[in-house]
Amino acid sequence: MYPVTTTSSLVSGTPSPDPLHAYQLNQELNAPRLHGRLSFPPHRCPQRPSGDASHCDELHETDKGHKQQLFVESLAQAGPCIMYGSSSLAMWPKEPWKGKRKQVKTAVSSACSVGEDQLLTATYVCKAQCDKPGSWHGAVKNEDTFKTSPFHLDLWFYFTLQNWVLDFGRPIAMIILPLEWFPLNKPSAGDYFHMAYNVITPFLLLKLIERSPKTLPRSMIYVSIIMFVMGASIHLVGDSVNHRLIFSGYQHHLSVRENPIIKNLKPETLIDSFELLYYYDEYLGHSMWYIPFFLILFIYFTGCFTPVEEESRMPVAALLLMGPSSLYYWYLVTEGQIFILYIFTFFAMMALVMHQKRKGLVLDSNGLFLFYSFIITLVLIALWVVWLWNDKILRKKYPGVIYIPEPWAFYTLHMNNLHPAKESF
């Protein structure tokens, strides 16, 4: 028989039965990714007669029934964790003791059939590694396993908090804080908020992707994160200048050329420079910022499905966070003028939900939180448009079929009573 060795662990941190055959997962200590392939050493037959391929099988016939039953029971417990390579192993029949046994062969041509005791050992190791939390580290994730994840209260709370403080709160901090603390030729408090947002948000997005129960396309995620940081940084510069212009009398509800402080610029080519700045802020910056952001959310959303009905419910904490989260998305869509991007993302979510429902899959708690937040956001946008539908000045600023005024344009038109006091500086 093949020599038996005693080893403390086949997989780091996984206890091994004693004694245990010396099999190892394929290049487990050196390979950065485990693809679930089990590598067995050649099981050579002692004194194998020339041309006799069945000599090995006879060694397992005495207690075959008992060992086969143990193997099948262990294999059933291990579940989908075992993912054999296409050329490594062949599976046993469902009830091997009732029919002719299928030989399980290694890829090595000189090896005999791998016995049930060897597969039982390998099954134990696979199951122990699969049960170890975080042991695969994102390397072996089969979407057919439908591993569910609990509601990410910490991540969604951090998302909501930093969105409200660092994104929505940055222009408010710039207006409220005394101007002598942040002169007009220096970065404002809102700029520092924006810098923190550009660092924290990509980190939270990456942590959210890491917690997905499904393996997601990493290359697309990394490229999206890079574009997100680039777009947010471009927006930082343009938005900083545009908001500082408020203290000089700039009115957001008017176009660049219609603003009183811009009309008097000499030479007139300076107006083109301000229009270029506005383009970087409102068009290029927003596109490179928000397209990757919504793409990452949608990619994460594709992994939020489960066949278990009990997992399709939200905890109380999710219901409490849904209101602030939806209100922030309303601000993001209206101020960023990205309604088309938002509505296409929402339609894609709806289509995916209906497609997965046909397969018997439902959204888990994280998917429901994201999906319902988008629904409430759509309702808030509709109410916002209805409220300002007859505003003639804003209608002139936002012509066309899609009429969604910016909140800051509404502020400078109807609520701008702080700037006259500031203009004395």
Side-chain angles (χ1 to χ4, degrees):
M1 294 293 292
Y2 189 81
V4 178
T5 60
T6 302
T7 178
S8 60
S9 176
L10 288 181
V11 180
S12 178
T14 304
S16 305
D18 188 21
L20 187 65
H21 292 289
Y23 325 122
Q24 293 188 356
L25 297 176
N26 186 37
Q27 300 177 350
E28 70 158 311
L29 297 179
N30 300 320
R33 292 174 62 89
L34 294 177
H35 294 283
R37 173 169 295 197
L38 295 178
S39 178
F40 291 90
H43 186 180
R44 300 185 182 277
C45 304
Q47 301 177 355
R48 177 177 180 175
S50 178
D52 187 2
S54 62
H55 181 68
C56 247
D57 294 337
E58 297 175 359
L59 299 176
H60 301 282
E61 292 295 331
T62 55
D63 58 343
K64 181 177 72 172
H66 177 65
K67 289 194 296 182
Q68 285 175 340
Q69 185 171 1
L70 288 178
F71 158 69
V72 172
E73 291 176 356
S74 178
L75 188 65
Q77 293 176 0
C81 173
I82 306 176
M83 299 165 60
Y84 302 109
S86 59
S87 62
S88 295
L89 298 172
M91 297 303 296
W92 284 76
K94 187 176 182 181
E95 296 181 352
W97 56 87
K98 291 186 179 180
K100 184 178 179 180
R101 184 180 65 150
K102 293 182 180 179
Q103 286 189 348
V104 185
K105 298 183 179 180
T106 62
V108 183
S109 59
S110 61
C112 296
S113 300
V114 177
E116 307 94 307
D117 54 343
Q118 292 176 295
L119 282 177
L120 182 60
T121 300
T123 301
Y124 170 85
V125 176
C126 255
K127 184 179 187 304
Q129 177 66 3
C130 190
D131 291 342
K132 182 180 176 182
S135 58
W136 293 116
H137 195 60
V140 181
K141 286 185 180 180
N142 185 359
E143 64 177 299
D144 294 333
T145 60
F146 295 112
K147 177 185 174 183
T148 57
S149 57
F151 181 72
H152 307 317
L153 176 60
D154 54 344
L155 285 182
W156 293 121
F157 174 76
Y158 294 148
F159 259 120
T160 305
L161 180 64
Q162 67 98 25
N163 285 337
W164 275 98
V165 175
L166 301 181
D167 191 11
F168 181 79
R170 54 189 171 83
I172 298 177
M174 179 196 67
I175 293 176
I176 293 179
L177 293 178
L179 192 60
E180 57 268 18
W181 294 2
F182 305 95
L184 293 178
N185 61 343
K186 301 293 182 180
S188 67
D191 297 337
Y192 294 111
F193 279 29
H194 206 322
M195 295 176 193
Y197 175 90
N198 292 3
V199 175
I200 296 175
T201 304
F203 174 75
L204 292 177
L205 289 173
L206 287 174
K207 297 301 292 185
L208 185 66
I209 291 296
E210 287 179 4
R211 294 194 187 182
S212 173
K214 177 183 176 182
T215 304
L216 302 175
R218 294 187 176 182
S219 298
M220 184 177 294
I221 295 297
Y222 295 152
V223 172
S224 299
I225 291 293
I226 293 172
M227 289 190 62
F228 174 89
V229 176
M230 289 180 60
S233 300
I234 292 174
H235 180 267
L236 165 63
V237 177
D239 202 57
S240 174
V241 176
N242 285 336
H243 279 101
R244 302 298 268 175
L245 288 176
I246 294 179
F247 296 110
S248 301
Y250 187 86
Q251 303 178 40
H252 277 289
H253 62 278
L254 299 175
S255 65
V256 175
R257 290 187 177 273
E258 291 177 348
N259 263 270
I261 65 171
I262 302 296
K263 288 181 178 181
N264 299 326
L265 287 178
K266 299 295 180 180
E268 293 185 358
T269 53
L270 287 176
I271 300 178
D272 297 332
S273 300
F274 275 96
E275 286 186 329
L276 177 62
L277 177 66
Y278 184 83
Y279 170 80
Y280 271 101
D281 177 20
E282 297 296 326
Y283 293 100
L284 184 60
H286 282 186
S287 299
M288 294 182 65
W289 178 6
Y290 295 130
I291 291 177
F293 179 77
F294 279 91
L295 179 60
I296 292 174
L297 289 182
F298 178 75
I299 292 176
Y300 171 78
F301 184 78
T302 60
C304 297
F305 290 89
T306 174
V308 184
E309 290 287 346
E310 288 73 13
E311 299 289 341
S312 184
R313 59 184 61 180
M314 290 188 299
V316 177
L319 297 175
L320 295 177
L321 281 177
M322 192 179 300
S325 177
S326 303
L327 192 59
Y328 171 75
Y329 287 131
W330 162 82
Y331 170 76
L332 198 67
V333 173
T334 53
E335 183 65 27
Q337 294 292 288
I338 54 170
F339 178 76
I340 295 179
L341 173 62
Y342 157 78
I343 202 65
F344 271 98
T345 305
F346 178 64
F347 286 159
M349 287 181 173
M350 290 183 60
L352 184 61
V353 169
M354 292 186 291
H355 175 71
Q356 296 288 47
K357 188 176 182 180
R358 296 175 183 175
K359 297 181 180 180
L361 304 178
V362 293
L363 285 171
D364 62 10
S365 57
N366 295 286
L368 286 175
F369 174 79
L370 195 57
F371 189 60
Y372 287 160
S373 296
F374 272 53
I375 293 177
I376 298 176
T377 299
L378 185 60
V379 175
L380 293 176
I381 293 174
L383 295 176
W384 173 256
V385 172
V386 170
W387 182 38
L388 300 176
W389 186 259
N390 295 322
D391 194 307
K392 296 181 179 180
I393 299 179
L394 292 178
R395 273 284 186 177
K396 183 179 179 181
K397 170 71 184 261
Y398 305 98
V401 178
I402 300 178
Y403 167 69
I404 301 178
E406 297 177 57
W408 277 105
F410 172 81
Y411 169 79
T412 59
L413 177 62
H414 297 289
M415 302 175 62
N416 189 6
N417 53 7
L418 297 176
H419 300 154
K422 303 282 187 179
E423 289 177 358
S424 58
F425 291 96

